Amino acid sequence: MATAPPPVAGGRGYPSALRGRGRVGGVDGLRTLAVLLVIVYHQEPELLPGGALGVDVFFTISGFVITRLLVAEFARTGDIAMRPFYWRRWIRLVPALLTLCVVCAVLAFTGLPGFDGAWASIALSATFLVNIVRAVQPGLYSDSTSLLAHNWSLGVEEQFYLLWPPLLRVLLGKVRPRTVLLWTLTLCLLPVVWRWELWSPTAAHRIYNGTDTRADQLLAGALLAVVVARLHAEDRRLVALRKWSARLAWPALAVLGLIVWQIPMTSANGWTQAWYTVGFLVTAVLSATVVASLELQPRSWLSRGLSLAPVAWVGRNLSYGLYLWHYPLGRLLHDLGVRDTWLLYATLAASFAAATASHYLVERPLTRRHSRRAKAAVVRPVPATAQ
């Protein structure tokens, strides 16, 4: 019977990609922390003025995780299957998003003030275009995006996924691993130059919402994934990265916490040239430092804390749903008369309930069905002509 050829020795220049440990509990725990920051910020902005930083952390995690998976696939097979990749992305993200859009469409018929005229926001969210519309609005954001305004970040990620995986596939297949690393580093630095060129106080929305102007935050995670995959486990450079990421993780987390506590980056007084040019890359580097420690030092105190079963489970299974549902649910509860003193707690409770329902009724069944079909395709008997 025909059998698949064994992987090329050395993982085709990415030896550590072949020894991936699957999901990293600490990184999942970091997702939980990031989404909670965003929820608190959206409900009580004066409590955490810089809580929007949770989105920046998500960007870096996403760039790391996606690139890690793609490089691992290349190391195993010598190629990256684009169609299955995008189908997995669709299954993971779109059904849950469409469920949210359907619920919001139903609520739009109720006459509640917060859902009045919600159709444009729903349509833009379903097509991942919220960020593009917001980027071209120099003044106050229009009502066309207000209900699901938080989905601007989904647009950035999905547009990034349309560009980066095919480019990475070309780089992995055509150039040496060191050149892949240099290309990723160069691409990571280009958005800083572009933001500097674009900067003016009236360009804040353009810079904040643009995929091209936020790509370095995703590419910082991608660069980390390529570096880790490129180096052999005993390579002194990987040993140094492991040691220094562990030493710097707590200081990096402390600086991120200080930003969350003190810097109102999304309000008019936070629209500064320093933050909107270099600041985004700084947060990405700090986030990547924490992610590197969680990936390379799973026994550290930080990794153990973020890997606690409930924390990691929420990040792995509910963080996406929590992000999707918290914003419109906060508006709904406000329209229903929940007092401001209780709004944050009520929103958290309702968001956890909605995210749990989405996980068990929408996301998990579809993911399992796709997984079963993929496994069946792998073990399908070879035709007799190939025997």
Side-chain angles (χ1 to χ4, degrees):
M1 181 180 293
T3 58
V8 176
R12 296 178 172 84
Y14 300 93
S16 292
L18 295 173
R19 288 192 294 275
R21 297 182 291 109
R23 298 199 70 105
V24 180
V27 174
D28 287 331
L30 187 61
R31 292 179 192 269
T32 301
L33 183 60
V35 75
L36 290 177
L37 289 177
V38 174
I39 294 175
V40 173
Y41 166 73
H42 280 151
Q43 302 306 318
E44 299 282 353
E46 68 281 355
L47 188 62
L48 295 177
L53 182 94
V55 173
D56 303 51
V57 175
F58 265 120
F59 283 161
T60 302
I61 293 174
S62 296
F64 172 76
V65 171
I66 289 299
T67 305
R68 183 174 179 262
L69 292 172
L70 294 174
V71 174
E73 181 180 350
F74 176 81
R76 288 193 307 270
T77 68
D79 197 6
I80 297 173
M82 288 288 98
R83 185 175 178 180
F85 167 77
Y86 285 117
W87 180 241
R88 291 192 301 269
R89 288 284 86 200
W90 194 95
I91 289 292
R92 176 68 185 92
L93 300 175
V94 176
L97 174 62
L98 293 181
T99 301
L100 170 70
C101 291
V102 169
V103 171
C104 289
V106 172
L107 290 172
F109 288 107
T110 63
L112 291 169
F115 291 81
D116 185 35
W119 298 105
S121 184
I122 292 170
L124 292 172
S125 291
T127 52
F128 299 102
L129 295 175
V130 173
N131 69 307
I132 294 177
V133 173
R134 281 170 46 120
V136 298
Q137 298 175 340
L140 294 175
Y141 291 130
S142 69
D143 291 339
S144 64
T145 63
S146 61
L147 175 62
L148 299 174
H150 66 306
N151 285 343
W152 72 271
S153 66
L154 301 185
V156 170
E157 288 202 23
E158 293 313 298
Q159 292 150 23
F160 177 81
Y161 292 154
L162 289 176
L163 299 173
W164 173 241
L167 176 58
L168 179 63
R169 182 192 186 193
V170 171
L171 291 174
L172 292 172
K174 298 295 184 180
V175 300
R176 296 180 302 172
R178 180 179 296 179
T179 308
V180 174
L181 192 63
L182 293 175
W183 266 101
T184 308
L185 175 61
T186 302
L187 291 172
C188 190
L189 296 175
L190 285 178
V192 182
V193 179
W194 182 225
R195 288 196 296 265
W196 202 280
E197 180 67 23
L198 288 173
W199 168 254
S200 74
T202 58
H205 290 181
R206 167 68 180 88
I207 292 172
Y208 192 83
N209 293 279
T211 301
D212 55 340
T213 49
R214 299 301 289 269
D216 54 329
Q217 297 194 307
L218 290 126
L219 287 166
L223 179 62
L224 173 63
V226 174
V227 168
V228 172
R230 174 72 184 91
L231 301 176
H232 194 275
E234 288 75 32
D235 192 303
R236 57 183 178 80
R237 292 167 294 181
L238 186 60
V239 173
L241 179 62
R242 183 180 294 113
K243 178 178 69 174
W244 281 102
S245 65
R247 289 181 177 178
L248 295 175
W250 282 109
L253 200 61
V255 174
L256 290 172
L258 186 62
I259 294 171
V260 168
W261 181 37
Q262 290 291 324
I263 299 181
M265 63 188 73
T266 58
S267 61
N269 59 346
W271 296 347
T272 64
Q273 184 174 16
W275 186 258
Y276 273 67
T277 53
V278 179
F280 290 151
L281 181 59
V282 171
T283 61
V285 171
L286 294 170
S287 300
T289 301
V290 177
V291 172
S293 176
L294 297 173
E295 166 75 12
L296 299 173
Q297 293 282 12
R299 296 184 180 181
S300 67
W301 285 108
L302 179 60
S303 293
R304 290 180 179 182
L306 291 174
S307 298
L308 290 173
V311 180
W313 188 88
V314 168
R316 181 167 58 252
N317 299 300
L318 301 187
S319 59
Y320 178 55
L322 287 170
Y323 187 83
L324 283 179
W325 286 96
H326 82 277
Y327 201 78
L329 284 176
R331 178 171 290 207
L332 174 63
L333 291 168
H334 182 271
D335 286 352
L336 293 176
V338 176
R339 291 183 298 176
D340 290 345
T341 52
W342 295 102
L343 187 58
L344 172 59
Y345 306 106
T347 301
L348 280 169
S351 299
F352 269 95
T356 302
S358 177
H359 172 66
Y360 283 109
L361 299 179
V362 179
E363 300 165 52
R364 190 178 182 186
L366 289 174
T367 301
R368 285 189 167 185
R369 183 180 304 174
H370 170 69
S371 179
R372 286 196 297 267
R373 288 180 178 177
K375 289 180 180 179
V378 170
V379 301
R380 186 174 297 155
V382 179
T385 55
Q387 300 284 333

